[in-house]
Amino acid sequence: MAQFKTKSLRNDPAGIVQTVELWRAGGLVAFPTETVYGLGADACNDAAVAAIFHAKSRPAFNPLIIHVADLETAQRYAVFDDTAQVLAQTFWPGPLSLVLPVLPDGGLSKLVSAGLETVAVRVPDHPLAQKLLREFGGAIAAPSANISGAISPTTAAHVRAGLDRRINAVIDGGACRVGLESTIVMPKDGQTHLLRFGGLPENHLSDALGRKLSTASETPQPLSPGRMKSHYAPNAAVLMNQTSRPDQGLWLGFGADCDGADMNLSPDGNLITAAANLFAFLHQLDALATAQNISTIAVAPIPNTGLGRAINDRLNRAAAARDPQLFRMRNK
Ligand code: TXA
Ligand code: MG
């Protein structure tokens, strides 16, 4: 692993210029979006995109999302059918990624799509991300800025904790507002497939389209290559749906009935607050568990509606049995 001195850049004109210069030179700079921090690189530069996979220790079959300033820029890289147009016009900028046919002449590195004929595109709704993408002008490939399989970062400090010395810089835009990755949708053959629950609740999408979306069970597996089961994993084991504090573990609460919880995602049961807190609280509890030699994090039940679907999806993956190879890579 190449060793960098990872710079901390500020959200000011000098920080923006340095970020864009590093991107133009093929460098890796982590930057904030409204969902989570992304590890960004020039999506048209093969070496830069390869460096993302290397820095994250990410299995190379997992394709990346490209980030652009607006719909017009997105149309240089992907083909928008009517459904895609409606969704982009309604929800961009915002926490929605669209998986669309890639335009062969767009110049994207083949590594971005990891061999697929589609590319995932989004326009982030974060003032600093917008300034950076506008200044850069093209497409930035960016997975979440964490080592593959680890908890996603919602602050610049989280990025540093995972990727220090592996990347050129991180630019600090404060804590992410949404706190969960984007919802991923793929319009195809007259259907709209929901590939990943995320920061944009499903009912907003179906309301905009006037019809339901197809979800995982109806969606052929190869359409959603990134759905590795063990993901977002803290070092401690995660137990779901726990209504009381375990004897030998930490308890992450949700709602009013969680007296004695070590942390509470939202004491008044607000799913938006819970989503924004989720990854930050998992980072904190995992650090506490490591410091106190505790092996379990129990999580209170979370309603499976709206953003709760995405929160439970992330927690279920955190709770899933680990892929030992992934863990060897992470702990190297
Ligand atoms: O909110 C987000 O989406 C964040 C921020 C940084 O934008 N990014 C993010 O990226 O979560 P990442 O790489 O951690 O997750 C990307 C997901 C993966 O599950 C991947 O498989 C899926 O997007 N994906 C990317 N391109 C795809 C494609 N062509 N077809 C199907 N799935 C795709
Ligand atoms: Mg990720």
Side-chain angles (χ1 to χ4, degrees), residues 56 58 144 146 152 181 231-232:
K56 281 186 61 106
R58 176 176 233 187
S144 51
N146 50 274
S152 296
E181 295 89 343
H231 223 114
Y232 310 99

Side-chain angles (χ1 to χ4, degrees), residues 31-40 52-53 56 58 61-67 94-100 102 112-122 124 140-146 152-153 178-186 195-196 198-199 221-228 231-232 314 317:
F31 68 107
T33 78
E34 80 280 28
T35 60
V36 300
Y37 274 71
L39 176 55
I52 294 180
F53 289 103
K56 281 186 61 106
R58 176 176 233 187
F61 52 77
N62 207 356
L64 304 175
I65 298 174
I66 64 164
H67 298 64
L96 172 69
S97 294
L98 293 173
V99 174
L100 304 172
V102 66
V112 168
S113 298
L116 301 171
E117 280 162 13
T118 51
V119 63
V121 195
R122 86 180 193 93
I140 290 296
S144 51
N146 50 274
S152 296
V178 176
L180 280 176
E181 295 89 343
S182 59
T183 300
I184 305 182
V185 160
M186 176 163 90
L195 301 187
R196 176 174 78 182
Q221 269 308 308
L223 297 186
S224 45
R227 314 202 76 209
M228 281 193 296
H231 223 114
Y232 310 99
R314 303 304 186 274
R317 283 167 208 246

Side-chain angles (χ1 to χ4, degrees), residues 8-19 30-32 37 126-132 156 170-175:
S8 285
L9 302 177
R10 280 209 292 265
N11 181 0
D12 58 20
I16 292 170
V17 167
Q18 283 189 66
T19 300
F31 68 107
Y37 274 71
H126 186 289
L128 177 55
Q130 276 286 329
K131 283 185 203 157
L132 293 168
V170 51
I171 183 162
D172 191 344

Side-chain angles (χ1 to χ4, degrees), residues 239-282:
L239 288 178
M240 302 285 289
N241 295 316
Q242 302 297 307
T243 50
S244 61
R245 194 173 209 287
D247 288 341
Q248 311 263 322
L250 301 172
W251 190 29
L252 176 59
F254 175 84
D257 301 328
C258 294
D259 283 348
D262 295 276
M263 299 186 86
N264 193 317
L265 287 169
S266 170
D268 56 6
N270 181 320
L271 288 169
I272 298 176
T273 313
N277 287 333
L278 178 67
F279 290 135
F281 284 15
L282 283 176

Side-chain angles (χ1 to χ4, degrees), residues 83 87 91 96-98 183-188 190-197 200-219 309:
T83 303
L87 294 177
F91 297 110
L96 172 69
S97 294
L98 293 173
T183 300
I184 305 182
V185 160
M186 176 163 90
K188 191 177 161 55
Q191 290 203 36
T192 310
H193 299 273
L194 179 60
L195 301 187
R196 176 174 78 182
F197 291 108
L200 183 66
E202 184 182 0
N203 60 314
H204 294 215
L205 290 158
S206 49
D207 286 352
L209 292 174
R211 60 172 192 271
K212 290 187 88 172
L213 283 79
S214 329
T215 45
S217 55
E218 302 137 9
T219 297
R309 295 290 288 269

